[in-house]
Amino acid sequence: MQSQDIRRSFLKYFKSQGHTIVPSSPVVPHDDPTLLFTNAGMNQFKDIFLGRSKRDYMRAATTQKCIRVGGKHNDLDNVGHTSRHLTFFEMLGNFSFGDYFKKEAIAYAWDIVNHVFGFDPKRIWASVYKDDDEAFALWEKHLPAERIVRFGEKENFWAMGDTGPCGPCSELLYDRGEGYGPARNPKEDLSGERYLEFWNLVFMQYSRDTSDHMEPLPKKSIDTGCGLERIASLTLDVETVYQTDVLRGLIAQVEEISGKAYDEKNMGIAPAFHVIADHIRSLSFAIADGVQPSNTDRGYVLRKILRRAVRYGRMLGLQKPFLADVLPRLVNSMGEDFPELKASQNRIAEIVTLEEESFLRTLLRGGQLLGQVIDRSQKTSRQISGEDAFKLKDTYGFPLEEILLIAKDEALSVDLPRFEKLEEEAKEKSRKAHKTATQQFGANFFSDFTRTHKPCQFEGYNTSTSQAHLIGLVVGEQFVDEIKEGQEGLLLLEKTPFYPEMGGQVGDTGTIGKSGHSFQVYDTTAPFPGVIAHLGKMGTGALHKNDLVQATIDEQRRKEIQNNHTATHLLHWALQQVLGPHIKQAGSLVEDRRLRFDFNHHKPLSPQELRQIENLVNEKVREDAPVQAYEISYDEAQKRSDIKQFFGEKYGDRVRVIDIDFSKELCGGTHVSRLGTIGLFKIAKESSIAAGVRRIEAVTGKYAEELVQQEEDTLVSLATLLKSTPSATVERLQQLLEENKSLSAELKAHRKEKLKVLVEQCLSLKEHVGSLSFIAQEVLVDTEDLNSFADELIQRLHSGVVVLGIKTGERCQLVIAVSSDLVQKNILASHLIKEAAPFIQGGGGGKQTLAQAGGKNPAGLPLAFDKVRELLKQ
């Protein structure tokens, strides 16, 4: 079976078993700070396992894009050198959220490996956790007991991290035969090459906290994962994952580009082909999902992957950027099932090429550093220090093997213990940096409430006020029956017009109350599925549970929010029109006074591009087209290429579409009914917020008018200062700049003439110290002219020493220049300055011919001059 057949057959099978097919989440887990990259199929479902959210389905199946390059799951160093390690892989998985458990999970797995993958059942083994008798008994229905093995916690107890969801697991293994080793069972197969593990069934029962205590999860669940590449290697009966169709196709492309033939047995160059084929996948999918190489966090990991690919490319003679030439083969083989790859192809190519060019320049500088390191090591201990070796590897990307080889050629050793210590410290620092959040499980505050109450009904799309019963009051983090005057708390209604903060749109404000009793709402949130919480403070009177109340939003504020939300959709559309289809939303904020839109793009926008975007939005506003909102099934939305949906967002069975004819997006927010309502759109600022992520801040309606008026006022004020009119301001400024340029030239000429006179004066004060010409003077010249002035004097002297000092307030500067012939006699400016600087209470340094120092004791300048005289006499 080819990779695409495996992927599609797997999903088709589980769809037939009542599973919802959920698209792969991005490789960037935007909502999980505990992870650098998505590294398992269950990542996007973690909040369900923790009881923090609900979905419209109880069972799901996915093919998840995964990257493993950091923390617990760090395969980077092995990639290219083993038969199965990859940084990027696809994880096929089926999941149950409190629906089915061990019995069904084991039955599904056995069915699919036999009837979909077509494996030989006589070569399948299963492993179970040492105490899991239930799983053992269930496998005995399919396998003889001698092909079921028990392992301990290390092998058969799964946890995603130090804390969070966990449970016993059962692995499926395939016996590849005696050609892969003499082991008679998986316990004897220490390398794992003969009995290849290809599917892990996790029986999710617990959540582990920071004290290692395990609490049962609210519902027993199933999380399974099998690597598509491993399945492909078994169905194709090949020795390594690099011989499977997708990776072998990429290797063929590298052969074509490099002119080198791939031989899997040649371990001199085969790893280079493997590394490039694997790394182009990680780079391409990460960039398509919004990451860009940088010096921090995920961007730094991506940069390391790219640089590793470039280094291995050099082993194949690839001295120029080449990754963009491998990319089309990847898009052809995977772009149909992962359309984001195809949509981002040009951008991926541009970014990897720019990054390769930058690294090749870095390698050139690194080569110079390596020369200095070798020089220094040969003169001292004949050992490259651990610090130097680590810097060459970490900063300049030299592999340790390469450093060791070069050291051997130069008859040097490398301080490996120190190098390893520094590398471990760096890894520990990285691990600590990403333990920024821990998963803690506890009964959610609202879970009991939702069991006894229907979900709150949102009516705010069609009305600004609702009459509803008050079904819950919370004060001081406890449910109460009454909220009194002056108390802060939150109110829960059976229905509400208040939109809760969601999808970047801020929550509504307003009032809830009845005659003489008013609760001021200052924010609205959705803390739990089915719950809309109205946060605020009780004004006059009091409210009680089950009261019939009137809930009324601040309608003017809502209208302004709606203007900005619809304008955000228009902005997204305009950005794609001007910059290209690669533009993806990376975050947004929709308030009443402004909007903020973050998007993936690798360079700043030009003024012309910003003007073009602004014009496009305002053209659409003037056209005053209607804005429609309607619901469709999520399945239908997935089939519609004209509807924008955001990778990583969690959608239910029914989704809401905001349709502006030329722009369609899945969105639950509130919007205008016609575009003309927006009035005016104005960009206030464009900036960078992270590597590869830009931000536009904009205003609409009256706030846009205010911004235009402010800019007009600034222009009028500027014109007044320039004694001009607004329309002639630029011309007047150009005139002043020309005048300034002319005056600067005159001033420069005057200073040059003054320095000429000063040079003659200093030359006339020349003295001799022994046979040496010597000038020591305190002069009145600008700081920036001091060095060139000393140099001019040396040239006029031909041979000699010049010492000059200047005072600038309570500080001073000292410069010493020495002619080249005296440097040959070991009279060095850098030595002289070190001896003279203490007299001005300062320090400095420089070259052999010119050195300078700054100090805070101007009165010491004559003493510094005398010290130089004294040294020259010696």
Side-chain angles (χ1 to χ4, degrees):
M1 292 178 78
Q2 301 290 301
S3 297
Q4 189 177 76
D5 298 329
I6 294 168
R7 183 186 302 121
R8 293 180 179 181
S9 298
F10 180 89
L11 296 177
K12 182 180 178 182
Y13 172 84
F14 278 106
K15 187 171 185 178
S16 73
Q17 300 298 326
H19 290 63
T20 297
I21 306 306
V22 180
S24 171
S25 65
V27 294
V28 186
H30 296 291
D31 54 356
D32 190 344
T34 66
L35 288 175
L36 266 177
F37 291 99
T38 300
N39 59 22
M42 66 81 66
N43 290 166
Q44 67 170 310
F45 304 118
K46 191 195 291 188
D47 55 350
I48 306 177
F49 289 126
L50 288 167
R52 290 178 176 162
S53 74
K54 298 175 183 176
R55 301 282 177 91
D56 295 330
Y57 46 83
M58 298 289 283
R59 46 176 72 186
T62 67
T63 173
Q64 175 63 50
K65 305 173 293 186
C66 296
I67 292 179
R68 286 187 178 174
V69 283
K72 173 185 171 185
H73 301 296
N74 190 348
D75 291 342
L76 186 58
D77 292 340
N78 292 319
V79 171
H81 297 277
T82 69
S83 63
R84 59 183 188 270
H85 280 99
L86 299 166
T87 60
F88 176 89
F89 62 97
E90 282 184 69
M91 185 173 281
L92 305 171
N94 58 292
F95 305 87
S96 164
F97 312 115
D99 185 9
Y100 60 83
F101 200 47
K102 292 181 187 179
K103 179 183 175 183
E104 294 84 355
I106 287 171
Y108 287 144
W110 182 253
D111 191 24
I112 202 169
V113 297
N114 282 278
H115 302 116
V116 178
F117 298 156
F119 289 167
D120 180 355
K122 294 178 182 176
R123 298 171 73 176
I124 295 173
W125 289 64
S127 70
V128 298
Y129 184 54
K130 59 183 181 180
D131 299 329
D132 197 346
D133 296 332
E134 182 188 2
F136 194 100
L138 288 167
W139 275 121
E140 280 188 298
K141 295 178 181 179
H142 310 289
L143 292 168
E146 59 267 22
R147 276 198 275 132
I148 308 169
V149 292
R150 295 179 187 265
F151 281 107
E153 185 166 344
K154 183 180 178 183
E155 294 85 3
N156 276 74
F157 194 92
W158 190 92
M160 193 171 150
D162 295 334
T163 62
C166 59
C169 63
S170 177
E171 292 184 339
L172 281 170
L173 307 103
Y174 193 80
D175 180 2
R176 298 202 287 172
E178 292 180 0
Y180 293 90
R184 291 168 299 175
N185 58 61
K187 286 198 169 186
E188 294 178 8
D189 186 21
L190 301 180
S191 69
E193 288 293 331
R194 175 169 176 173
Y195 297 92
L196 186 68
E197 182 263 311
F198 65 88
W199 200 342
N200 190 8
L201 315 178
V202 178
F203 309 128
M204 198 77 70
Q205 297 175 238
Y206 310 107
S207 181
R208 179 183 278 150
D209 63 22
T210 51
S211 66
D212 209 33
H213 175 70
M214 290 193 294
E215 281 283 335
L217 286 168
K219 294 178 180 177
K220 291 180 181 180
S221 298
I222 290 293
D223 157 28
T224 85
C226 61
L228 183 146
E229 293 78 7
R230 288 197 187 184
I231 298 292
S233 72
L234 293 173
T235 61
L236 295 169
D237 194 23
V238 294
E239 291 185 17
T240 77
V241 292
Y242 296 104
Q243 293 168 280
T244 57
D245 56 308
V246 173
L247 288 164
R248 188 60 184 87
L250 293 169
I251 288 170
Q253 185 75 2
V254 178
E255 286 182 291
E256 189 177 316
I257 293 166
S258 66
K260 297 272 196 312
Y262 170 66
D263 176 4
E264 65 207 45
K265 304 297 183 187
N266 181 354
M267 294 315 291
I269 63 169
F273 286 98
H274 299 164
V275 165
I276 295 166
D278 169 78
H279 289 10
I280 188 64
R281 297 209 301 170
S282 282
L283 290 164
S284 300
F285 278 100
I287 291 169
D289 283 344
V291 190
Q292 186 167 318
S294 70
N295 285 327
T296 57
D297 300 322
R298 298 179 179 108
Y300 176 64
V301 174
L302 211 60
R303 179 164 282 168
K304 274 177 37 175
I305 292 172
L306 183 140
R307 290 183 170 190
R308 190 168 186 260
V310 171
R311 290 199 315 270
Y312 277 90
R314 287 160 72 88
M315 292 170 62
L316 301 177
L318 297 167
Q319 301 295 327
K320 294 180 179 178
F322 63 89
L323 290 171
D325 297 327
V326 186
L327 179 62
R329 183 70 70 100
L330 174 63
V331 174
N332 287 340
S333 60
M334 298 187 74
E336 192 175 334
D337 284 354
F338 297 98
E340 66 272 21
L341 202 59
K342 194 176 289 186
S344 304
Q345 182 173 352
N346 291 340
R347 182 165 162 270
I348 295 166
E350 184 177 356
I351 288 172
V352 294
T353 301
L354 288 170
E355 191 69 19
E356 284 179 273
E357 289 170 347
S358 171
F359 182 47
L360 290 170
R361 290 193 295 270
T362 301
L363 278 179
L364 192 61
R365 293 198 303 274
Q368 294 166 354
L369 173 67
L370 183 61
Q372 294 168 11
V373 167
I374 290 169
D375 240 13
R376 186 164 61 246
S377 302
Q378 285 174 333
K379 290 175 184 175
T380 53
S381 60
R382 303 204 61 77
Q383 183 182 62
I384 294 176
S385 71
E387 283 79 6
D388 282 337
F390 181 73
K391 186 174 183 182
L392 283 165
K393 181 177 185 287
D394 193 60
T395 306
Y396 294 99
F398 280 87
L400 180 60
E401 312 85 69
E402 195 173 329
I403 298 168
L404 290 169
L405 190 62
I406 294 167
K408 187 178 179 182
D409 291 341
E410 300 290 339
L412 299 169
S413 62
V414 178
D415 185 353
L416 285 175
R418 178 63 180 155
F419 168 85
E420 287 163 0
K421 187 172 188 298
L422 290 168
E423 192 160 58
E424 185 53 42
E425 286 173 2
K427 285 179 182 175
E428 182 61 27
K429 187 177 179 183
S430 175
R431 280 194 291 267
K432 285 180 179 174
H434 292 287
K435 282 189 180 178
T436 53
T438 58
Q439 298 295 331
Q440 294 181 349
F441 177 79
N444 189 285
F445 186 75
F446 293 102
S447 60
D448 289 338
F449 180 84
T450 57
R451 290 192 189 101
T452 56
H453 295 81
K454 292 180 181 178
C456 178
Q457 185 181 341
F458 175 66
E459 299 184 327
Y461 293 135
N462 305 310
T463 182
S464 59
T465 184
S466 295
Q467 198 171 53
H469 283 99
L470 184 53
I471 58 174
L473 302 90
V474 178
V475 176
E477 299 186 4
Q478 289 196 354
F479 279 98
V480 295
D481 291 330
E482 179 188 30
I483 185 166
K484 299 174 183 176
E485 188 170 326
Q487 284 186 323
E488 291 190 335
L490 62 87
L491 306 186
L492 307 175
L493 306 175
E494 58 184 341
K495 54 186 179 180
T496 181
F498 284 79
Y499 184 83
E501 182 175 344
M502 198 182 299
Q505 179 174 327
V506 296
D508 279 327
T509 61
T511 59
I512 296 173
K514 57 184 183 177
S515 179
H517 307 264
S518 179
F519 179 86
Q520 192 68 38
V521 179
Y522 52 68
D523 196 11
T524 309
T525 64
F528 193 80
V531 174
I532 295 178
H534 308 78
L535 288 73
K537 186 174 183 179
M538 193 66 208
T540 56
L543 290 175
H544 300 82
K545 188 176 178 180
N546 296 323
D547 277 353
L548 185 64
V549 294
Q550 194 76 23
T552 306
I553 64 169
D554 181 336
E555 197 167 356
Q556 182 57 36
R557 180 174 178 272
R558 164 73 81 78
K559 286 178 180 176
E560 289 163 355
I561 291 170
Q562 290 179 169
N563 284 348
N564 286 334
H565 203 152
T566 307
T568 301
H569 286 218
L570 294 179
L571 173 59
H572 193 176
W573 167 80
L575 282 164
Q576 291 187 328
Q577 299 304 303
V578 175
L579 303 180
H582 69 273
I583 296 297
K584 288 188 175 71
Q585 181 174 324
S588 68
L589 175 67
V590 179
E591 298 179 329
D592 53 333
R593 292 175 173 269
R594 62 170 183 145
L595 65 92
R596 192 177 75 201
F597 188 79
D598 302 337
F599 57 98
N600 299 111
H601 194 56
H602 54 286
K603 58 187 177 184
L605 276 64
S606 68
Q608 294 78 13
E609 287 170 330
L610 289 170
R611 179 61 57 83
Q612 196 178 347
I613 289 162
E614 205 173 72
N615 287 344
L616 276 174
V617 173
N618 282 315
E619 280 174 19
K620 293 300 180 185
V621 170
R622 287 192 295 274
E623 286 175 11
D624 192 26
V627 178
Q628 296 179 312
Y630 50 82
E631 286 192 356
I632 58 174
S633 72
Y634 183 52
D635 282 345
E636 184 185 344
Q638 284 183 289
K639 296 170 188 171
R640 295 269 300 273
S641 59
D642 60 330
I643 298 178
K644 289 190 189 80
Q645 46 191 290
F646 304 108
F647 294 105
E649 286 290 325
K650 299 177 176 69
Y651 298 109
D653 285 342
R654 303 287 297 173
V655 289
R656 186 166 179 264
V657 180
I658 298 300
D659 187 339
I660 320 175
D661 184 34
F662 54 87
S663 166
K664 298 175 178 63
E665 290 190 25
L666 298 187
C667 179
T670 61
H671 289 267
V672 299
S673 58
R674 300 193 70 89
L675 294 183
T677 309
I678 294 169
L680 177 66
F681 172 83
K682 180 75 179 165
I683 294 174
K685 184 181 179 183
E686 190 271 343
S687 61
S688 168
I689 60 166
V693 183
R694 309 297 302 177
R695 170 173 288 173
I696 282 181
E697 295 174 56
V699 286
T700 63
K702 69 175 183 181
Y703 299 108
E705 292 169 6
E706 287 174 5
L707 180 59
V708 171
Q709 289 163 2
Q710 287 169 14
E711 291 174 351
E712 287 175 350
D713 291 345
T714 301
L715 183 59
V716 169
S717 299
L718 191 59
T720 303
L721 284 171
L722 297 173
K723 298 181 179 176
S724 177
T725 60
S727 59
T729 297
V730 174
E731 186 182 341
R732 176 62 179 147
L733 268 176
Q734 287 173 335
Q735 182 186 346
L736 288 173
L737 288 171
E738 286 297 324
E739 288 176 15
N740 185 61
K741 187 177 177 182
S742 175
L743 290 170
S744 294
E746 286 180 31
L747 182 60
K748 191 174 181 181
H750 176 71
R751 281 168 60 188
K752 193 173 180 181
E753 196 60 39
K754 178 187 169 187
L755 288 176
K756 276 185 183 177
V757 174
L758 200 51
V759 165
E760 297 302 329
Q761 288 176 354
C762 287
L763 287 170
S764 68
L765 297 171
K766 178 181 73 175
E767 55 186 287
H768 287 88
V769 178
S771 61
L772 301 175
S773 296
F774 181 63
I775 294 174
Q777 289 293 319
E778 186 182 321
V779 293
L780 291 170
V781 300
D782 293 332
T783 305
E784 61 266 29
D785 293 329
L786 188 58
N787 285 358
S788 59
F789 184 63
D791 196 45
E792 175 71 17
L793 283 172
I794 280 292
Q795 288 182 35
R796 293 288 298 276
L797 279 178
H798 301 298
S799 175
V801 175
V802 172
V803 186
L804 301 174
I806 61 169
K807 295 176 182 175
T808 51
E810 296 181 357
R811 296 190 64 82
C812 62
Q813 275 192 283
L814 185 69
V815 65
I816 299 177
V818 177
S819 58
S820 300
D821 61 315
L822 297 184
V823 169
Q824 301 301 318
K825 296 178 182 179
N826 209 30
I827 298 174
L828 308 177
S830 53
H831 289 171
L832 294 173
I833 201 78
K834 286 178 183 174
E835 296 292 332
F839 290 95
I840 60 169
Q841 295 179 23
K847 296 183 289 187
Q848 295 177 339
T849 55
L850 185 71
Q852 60 183 12
K856 53 186 179 183
N857 180 29
L861 283 171
L863 297 174
F865 297 161
D866 290 341
K867 180 62 179 179
V868 177
R869 277 194 195 90
E870 180 189 324
L871 291 168
L872 294 177
K873 285 176 184 176
Q874 296 171 4

